[in-house]
Amino acid sequence: MNKLCKAIVDNRFIITAELYPPKGTDIAELMRRADIIGPLVDGVNITDNQRASMRLASIAICHLIKDKGYTPILQMTCRDRNRIALQSDLLSAYVLGIENVLILSGDHPAVGEYKEIKGVYDLDPVQLLTTARTLESGFDLSGKKLKGTPKFCLGAVVNPTSNPLELQLLMMEKKVKAGAQFFQTQTIFDVERYRQFHDQVKHLNVKVLAGVTLLKSREFIGFLKNLPGVSIPEDVVKRVEAAKDPLKEGIKICGETIRELKKFADGVHIMAIGAEDLIPEILKNA
Amino acid sequence: MIITVTKPIEEIMTNLEGYKKVFVVGCAACATKCQTGGEEAVNNMIKELKKKNKTVTGSVILDTPCDIRIAKRDLAKSREANESDVILVLACGAGVQAAEKVIEKPVLPALNPLFVGTTERIGVYNEFCSVCGECILDKTAGICPVSRCPKGLINGPCGGVVDGKCETDLTKDCVWVLILNKLKKLGKEQEIFKDYFSPKKRAKPKVVNRAGERR
């Protein structure tokens, strides 16, 4: 059983962190960062052509991370592959020792580098979760028998800051029914608001990892505020803006957020967005 | 109906290079509604062609140019059309291809077809149908997620719903929010997400009979 699965079974506070593959073949920096966070977390989550931009494949990096002894989480979006390719990649992931798969629809091409392409979306996330479970049963979507069957630990995403929240809650329920065992959320800064969400989804009996992001600078806050669906409480913004060393303050805030979450949440998913080197310090503060 | 827009005139003229005598075909159905292939559009096109020193041999506005029987009756037998170098069709791709089937002349499109949609008013068209072959409007309060969600998500929305709007365009409503609100109005909100929709059949036969079966 891999570290993430074990953390889920053992019912302990889960910590995962995200890394994104490079555009190009130079993976030195990425692997250096993997070495920093790999030993500290329960899973290293590798993005799949995030923000609809072309990058090195998640599955390749997951394989390299696994080879180093860390626990990868393969992100798999529905945007770029039809059901043949998705199933084929799921089987491939399994034989490479990658069992943790996070399934999401994927940022729409309209927000990325290739605005004029056709998004595939042959399957939606609920159908892809169902598909992964179908493969586990020894058959593929065409009903053909598999020679050797995979086993996955499946995750999905939910956005607790989305309005109307009602839709997200219903969707989450549908994803649980389809086979999701853990969830990763959009970045949250308001722990109290997250607590309410946590209570609302408790009955689903799945692990929900609260997304946390390091506020690196004043400029970064401006960038985040412009992202759809991200809300940062005013007192948090003021703390960073008033600080002599905004980065130091950001690390402190991030650590405090995790510390607060540890009191009731199932875990956190850290999105350091280029500042992965600081994750050890954040965790020390937590 | 099929929503169309007129191709840039420069593109049309480039395609017409080498042809002198042009016969123009309009559409009395969808393209008339879109003002891209009706009487006014055909007359404007004729003016443009004359300005560029083309000889317009004649024109016809077919009731439904996509109906091969009508194209055969009203275009194939037209003397002017048969005496032309080229046929310029102001209709969707089905109209252009019906013309191609009935007349031994080069056929050129003057429009770009966009989608099957509704007219809110002239110049405001909504893509409301993907002609997917498996209509689920009975389960989605008469609002189509296949065509109206940019990702075509049929089991429910993604996480990109911001205050009821779609993250790909914050001026547009998330179709799943519209569905939820409509179901609430109808007192049927408990029906949302009740069903699991299995993957859609994306392949449809290219030629079908009245029952939609392959011919």
Side-chain angles (χ1 to χ4, degrees), chain A residues 51 83 105-108 110-111 120-127 130-131 141 158-159 161-164 166-168 170-171 174-175 177 186 228-229, chain B residues 150-165 167-168 170 174 176-177 180 184 189 192-202:
Chain A
R51 299 304 289 168
R83 62 196 88 168
S105 62
D107 293 318
H108 190 270
V111 303
V120 179
Y121 303 109
D122 185 29
L123 299 182
D124 65 26
V126 179
Q127 291 165 344
T130 308
T131 301
L141 282 183
V158 62
N159 186 355
T161 61
S162 175
N163 177 28
E166 193 180 352
L167 278 175
Q168 292 292 310
L170 289 164
M171 257 322 258
K174 201 167 183 179
K175 287 177 178 176
K177 268 190 210 153
Q186 173 70 283
Chain B
K151 298 178 183 175
L153 302 178
I154 58 173
N155 274 297
C158 65
V161 194
V162 185
D163 296 327
K165 304 292 179 188
E167 71 171 356
T168 67
L170 292 175
C174 164
W176 281 103
V177 174
L180 177 69
K184 276 185 179 168
E189 65 264 37
I192 199 164
F193 303 151
K194 202 182 69 190
D195 298 295
Y196 164 71
F197 289 107
S198 47
K200 287 186 86 68
K201 289 180 195 139
R202 310 280 179 189

Side-chain angles (χ1 to χ4, degrees), chain A residues 1-7 12 15-17 19 34 37-46 61-74 97-101 153:
Chain A
M1 194 183 285
N2 74 58
K3 203 170 167 186
L4 179 70
C5 297
K6 192 149 177 2
R12 64 172 174 78
I15 300 171
T16 64
L19 284 176
I37 63 170
L40 301 175
V41 297
D42 298 304
V44 184
N45 197 310
I46 308 296
I61 303 298
C62 282
H63 176 50
L64 295 174
I65 279 177
K66 168 87 184 170
D67 273 356
K68 287 212 160 206
Y70 312 134
T71 308
I73 304 171
L74 175 76
I98 304 158
E99 297 152 326
N100 308 316
V101 184
C153 177

Side-chain angles (χ1 to χ4, degrees), chain A residues 52-185:
Chain A
S53 63
M54 191 287 298
R55 289 173 174 272
L56 200 149
S58 176
I59 196 165
I61 303 298
C62 282
H63 176 50
L64 295 174
I65 279 177
K66 168 87 184 170
D67 273 356
K68 287 212 160 206
Y70 312 134
T71 308
I73 304 171
L74 175 76
Q75 284 202 11
M76 203 170 206
T77 74
C78 299
R79 184 192 53 232
D80 307 319
R81 284 161 288 190
N82 68 11
R83 62 196 88 168
I84 294 178
L86 288 167
Q87 291 181 98
S88 176
D89 281 0
L90 279 169
L91 295 181
S92 305
Y94 181 75
V95 301
L96 292 172
I98 304 158
E99 297 152 326
N100 308 316
V101 184
L102 183 91
I103 286 168
L104 53 169
S105 62
D107 293 318
H108 190 270
V111 303
E113 297 174 332
Y114 293 85
K115 297 191 193 308
E116 293 180 351
I117 63 166
K118 179 173 168 34
V120 179
Y121 303 109
D122 185 29
L123 299 182
D124 65 26
V126 179
Q127 291 165 344
L128 184 51
L129 286 162
T130 308
T131 301
R133 293 299 181 215
T134 305
L135 294 173
E136 286 181 336
S137 76
F139 294 89
D140 75 352
L141 282 183
S142 75
K144 296 277 186 330
K145 206 167 164 22
L146 301 178
K147 190 175 172 187
T149 55
K151 182 90 190 87
F152 300 110
C153 177
L154 297 177
V157 293
V158 62
N159 186 355
T161 61
S162 175
N163 177 28
L165 185 59
E166 193 180 352
L167 278 175
Q168 292 292 310
L169 297 175
L170 289 164
M171 257 322 258
M172 199 176 159
E173 214 166 300
K174 201 167 183 179
K175 287 177 178 176
V176 172
K177 268 190 210 153
Q181 293 159 273
F182 69 95
F183 282 81
Q184 182 178 302
T185 81

Side-chain angles (χ1 to χ4, degrees), chain A residues 140-265:
Chain A
D140 75 352
L141 282 183
S142 75
K144 296 277 186 330
K145 206 167 164 22
L146 301 178
K147 190 175 172 187
T149 55
K151 182 90 190 87
F152 300 110
C153 177
L154 297 177
V157 293
V158 62
N159 186 355
T161 61
S162 175
N163 177 28
L165 185 59
E166 193 180 352
L167 278 175
Q168 292 292 310
L169 297 175
L170 289 164
M171 257 322 258
M172 199 176 159
E173 214 166 300
K174 201 167 183 179
K175 287 177 178 176
V176 172
K177 268 190 210 153
Q181 293 159 273
F182 69 95
F183 282 81
Q184 182 178 302
T185 81
Q186 173 70 283
T187 294
I188 59 118
F189 290 97
D190 190 336
V191 177
E192 270 322 298
R193 201 170 144 195
Y194 182 75
R195 190 196 298 270
Q196 290 168 20
F197 171 76
H198 173 82
D199 291 342
Q200 279 172 295
V201 300
K202 225 177 186 166
H203 68 282
L204 293 173
N205 278 324
V206 287
K207 298 292 176 192
V208 186
L209 314 182
V212 293
T213 297
L214 170 65
L215 297 171
K216 291 185 284 193
S217 62
R218 295 179 186 103
E219 297 73 36
F220 188 65
I221 290 181
F223 162 78
L224 277 180
K225 273 182 160 175
N226 281 329
L227 288 182
V230 178
S231 68
I232 313 173
E234 242 353 89
D235 55 320
V236 172
V237 176
K238 273 187 197 145
R239 269 183 70 181
V240 178
E241 279 176 353
K244 220 193 284 170
D245 185 343
L247 178 62
K248 215 169 165 189
E249 193 63 22
I251 294 170
K252 222 169 127 193
I253 291 169
C254 198
E256 283 169 18
T257 305
I258 298 172
R259 201 156 61 220
E260 283 305 305
L261 287 165
K262 272 184 174 168
K263 292 177 186 163
F264 66 93

Side-chain angles (χ1 to χ4, degrees), chain B residues 4 6 29-38 40-41 44 111 122-123 125:
Chain B
T4 48
T6 308
C30 306
T32 289
K33 291 269 183 198
C34 288
Q35 300 190 333
T36 52
E40 200 183 328
N44 285 340
L111 310 183
I122 292 300
Y125 309 109

